[in-house]
Amino acid sequence: MTTESTPLSGDADVAICGSGPIGAATACFLTRHRPALRVTLVTDERSDDPEHLATYRYSGGSIRWAWDDPVKREMTEETARFVRELLADGVELDALENTYHLLHTGELIPALNVSAARLVGHLVDTARAGGVSWHPGTTVTAVRPGQGVHVVETSRGTVRARRVLVALGARTPRVVPEHDPEVEKRQLFVLDLPVGELRERLPHTIVPVGKGFAYVFLKRTEGGTRVVVGQEDVVEDHDTSGPVDHWDELLDSGVGDVLPWLRDARVERILWGSDAGHKTLAVTEPAPGLLAASCGSAVRSAAWIGRRLAERLAGPLG
Ligand SMILES: Cc1cc2nc3c(=O)[nH]c(=O)nc-3n(C[C@H](O)[C@H](O)[C@H](O)COP(=O)(O)OP(=O)(O)OC[C@H]3O[C@@H](n4cnc5c(N)ncnc54)[C@H](O)[C@@H]3O)c2cc1C
């Protein structure tokens, strides 16, 4: 991820608030528009401050799953194609080719896991190379209507733009209260288990438990490849103030019966973040040209989302 910053310029055709998968992919696809647009991309990322650590940094980075829903299927398949092209071009995304094993249906599906941080970093770098003006370390405090434009107020000055995309993840409603998606806490348990043998024989296993799913897979982390267990709705946790250790509860929910060897593991680290509960793209337009967007699992849909939002932001005002 690049950290260099340049001063904010006053005017833009499009201002994008937030450089997670949604904001970064949209900025990247906007560079393809002709005639070229002046695009400003603002984000507040700071390292090691949970309040300012973007959700995608915790992500499992899973790109592929054969969804029954045709829209979700299209979203992930387009993104998988996009990512495979990047890999073919030699872009380093810490990719792990794998197989999704859906225990409840017995299906085996070819799957791809990438580092979401690397994917987003690549999208930002491509956007910058295409002329997007990039402003890290900059907090968006408000977006208000101006004369024929929207005014984006930030900790480092204001940007005026005819089109604005607010893509601040779970923090979007702070800036656009009309966009108030249901937010859920998601956790990944990074396990202290030898991965040597598992590397060969552990597919990305999806275990249905209760009304939710647990995911067991390999992920490349800074410390090396690790076995990781993710959970969605298996153990509900409405406390979004920080990570809580629900490991034993998760095992006792049935995951430990299905995969008993997990009981030998020690939890090395909990990665957590708050994400939109819906898995298709939700867009709110409280004023013409002002869009707020969110999507749970935005990593695996990033290319589809970026292309759609770029078309909408570059098109005529609705
Ligand atoms: C534990 C976990 C596992 C997950 N696993 C997967 C997975 O395997 N596959 C998958 O597809 N998805 C996964 N996700 C979900 C995925 O990470 C999110 O859907 C995605 O990151 C949302 O993208 P976004 O761009 O909407 O928001 P975010 O990723 O939250 O990005 C928001 C951006 O806005 C910035 N920002 C926020 N507030 C401000 C402000 N006021 N001013 C300036 N900038 C601001 C942030 O720093 C960040 O750059 C997982 C999430 C979690 C928590």
Side-chain angles (χ1 to χ4, degrees), residues 204-220:
H204 186 134
T205 306
I206 300 193
V207 188
V209 193
K211 60 185 173 66
F213 292 94
Y215 306 81
V216 185
F217 57 100
L218 295 177
K219 177 176 166 72
R220 289 214 175 122

Side-chain angles (χ1 to χ4, degrees), residues 18-23 42-45 52 54-56 58-62 138-140 167-171 186-188 271-275 293-300:
S19 69
I22 294 184
V42 174
T43 195
D44 73 346
E45 286 203 39
H52 291 97
T55 292
Y56 70 84
Y58 304 111
S59 167
S62 309
T138 305
T139 303
V140 176
L168 304 176
R171 284 183 273 157
R186 294 178 65 181
Q187 301 196 324
L188 295 179
L271 304 177
W272 73 278
S274 298
D275 190 24
S294 61
C295 177
S297 300
V299 175
R300 62 179 151 220

Side-chain angles (χ1 to χ4, degrees), residues 164-213:
V164 173
L165 170 66
V166 181
L168 304 176
R171 284 183 273 157
T172 295
R174 294 189 196 170
V175 171
V176 182
E178 296 85 351
H179 190 83
D180 195 10
E182 193 181 321
V183 166
E184 65 186 22
K185 182 170 178 174
R186 294 178 65 181
Q187 301 196 324
L188 295 179
F189 296 90
V190 182
L191 304 183
D192 181 9
L193 271 178
V195 290
E197 202 188 321
L198 289 169
R199 194 192 296 272
E200 304 305 322
R201 64 177 169 91
L202 181 69
H204 186 134
T205 306
I206 300 193
V207 188
V209 193
K211 60 185 173 66
F213 292 94

